[in-house]
Amino acid sequence: MSLIELEHITFAYGPEEPPVLRDFSMTVEAGECLVLRGDNGAGKTTLFRVLNGLSFPQEGVYRFDGAEVTPALLKKQRQAKLFHMRVGYLFQNPDVMLFNASVREEIAFGPRQMGLPEEDITARTADCMALFGLEPLADKAPYHLSGGQKKQVALAAVLALNPEVLILDEPLAGLDRRTRERLIALLLELRQAGKTLLIATHDDALCQALEARIVRLENSGE
Ligand SMILES: Nc1ncnc2c1ncn2[C@@H]1O[C@H](COP(=O)(O)OP(=O)(O)OP(=O)(O)O)[C@@H](O)[C@H]1O
Ligand SMILES: [Mg+2]
C-alpha cells in the first residue's frame, strides 16, 4: 500500500464544465518527493485541492494511508482533524490562509488547535519564525505584509504543525533570491528528514536540488 493512491480520478468544477482531471492515476510513497509540472491551467492546484480533501472527484478513488478520502470521512471531526494534522497545505495564494491578528498568532494557531501545552506552542512558534527570520514581523498583521512576506508566514504556519506530508503550491513564487535559496535548502532538509513532499513549481533549480520525481499534467484541451 502506498501513502497516497489516486485511481482513475475525474474531476470537473461543475456538471457543465469540462473535466480538469480526466482518468488520472498516481501513487506516492511515504518519504517520496514529487514535483508537479504543467502549464498554467493544467490542473496542478486542482489536484492539490483533491489531495487535501477540499474538492472531491466525481469518479475514481483517493486513498490516504489506506482510507478512502470522501466527504463522509471528512465530516467526522476526529478523522478530519487527524487527516489535516498529517497533511499540510500551502495554498498558491497565501491570502486565503492568513486570518490571525499577528504573525506570531498566525504561526501559533495550528499548534494551539492541536492542543499542545503553552510552552511547546511558544517554542514551536519561535522555531518556525526563525526559519525565515520573521521575528521583526511578529506583532504585525499578516494582512498588511508584502506578498513574499505573506508566503513565508503561511509556510511557517504550515511547518508549525509538523505534518508528515507537505503539499506546497508554488512555494517559491514571488520570493527574493535570498529567501528562495533559504527555502530550497529547507525543503532539502525536510526531504532528508523523511517528509513526503508534493510541490507544484515552474522552478527547474528546485526540481534538481530535490532530485524529485516529476509528474507532468497536460491541459485537458477542450
Ligand atoms: N474554482 C474554480 N471554478 C471553476 N473552474 C476553475 C476553478 N479553479 C480552477 N478552475 C479551472 O480549472 C483549470 C485548472 O486550474 P488550476 O488552478 O488547477 O491550474 P494550475 O495548473 O494550478 O495553473 P497555474 O500554473 O496557473 O497555477 C483551469 O482551466 C481553471 O480555469
Ligand atoms: Mg495553480
Side-chain angles (χ1 to χ4, degrees):
M1 183 181 80
S2 303
L3 182 62
I4 288 172
E5 297 174 331
L6 290 176
E7 285 176 8
H8 304 290
I9 295 290
T10 293
F11 175 84
Y13 278 98
E16 306 298 320
E17 305 272 335
V20 177
L21 303 169
R22 199 194 300 261
D23 196 16
F24 180 82
S25 299
M26 170 178 96
T27 57
V28 183
E29 306 300 325
E32 222 185 336
C33 174
L34 185 144
V35 162
L36 206 54
R37 310 228 38 180
D39 295 341
N40 298 136
K44 303 179 295 296
T45 297
T46 303
L47 179 58
F48 280 176
R49 289 184 56 84
V50 170
L51 291 173
N52 282 286
L54 299 173
S55 292
F56 298 94
Q58 285 84 21
E59 285 171 43
V61 177
Y62 167 31
R63 269 185 239 97
F64 182 80
D65 201 10
E68 198 175 332
V69 179
T70 59
L73 179 88
L74 295 184
K75 271 198 197 104
K76 295 182 194 139
Q77 219 168 17
R78 227 181 67 84
Q79 300 289 330
K81 193 170 172 186
L82 202 63
F83 176 73
H84 291 297
M85 266 170 60
R86 296 184 69 186
V87 183
Y89 183 28
L90 176 73
F91 284 71
Q92 184 165 7
N93 172 8
D95 279 316
V96 301
M97 303 177 60
L98 303 171
F99 53 90
N100 283 276
S102 72
V103 166
R104 184 184 289 107
E105 274 312 301
E106 194 67 60
I107 297 170
F109 183 83
R112 183 160 287 134
Q113 286 293 99
M114 283 165 66
L116 294 184
E118 197 58 39
E119 66 242 46
D120 292 2
I121 297 173
T122 309
R124 253 196 215 196
T125 303
D127 286 351
C128 290
M129 284 203 291
L131 289 174
F132 300 102
L134 294 170
E135 295 89 341
L137 303 176
D139 296 312
K140 285 209 165 196
Y143 181 76
H144 290 304
L145 300 179
S146 77
Q149 289 171 331
K150 282 181 185 168
K151 193 136 230 175
Q152 292 171 61
V153 172
L155 187 56
V158 172
L159 294 173
L161 287 162
N162 194 24
E164 53 187 275
V165 180
L166 286 161
I167 299 186
L168 309 176
D169 202 348
E170 308 275 1
L172 300 181
L175 299 183
D176 63 40
R177 193 206 298 208
R178 194 175 55 101
T179 308
R180 178 174 167 277
E181 278 166 13
R182 196 184 266 194
L183 181 52
I184 292 178
L186 174 63
L187 292 175
L188 193 55
E189 269 176 44
L190 290 167
R191 173 158 174 46
Q192 284 160 351
K195 297 284 184 198
T196 307
L197 298 178
L198 286 83
I199 304 172
T201 186
H202 299 288
D203 194 293
D204 293 325
L206 179 61
C207 296
Q208 277 165 16
L210 293 176
E211 296 179 32
R213 170 158 73 101
I214 297 189
V215 168
R216 197 167 290 280
L217 289 183
E218 303 293 341
N219 272 294
S220 51
E222 283 294 321

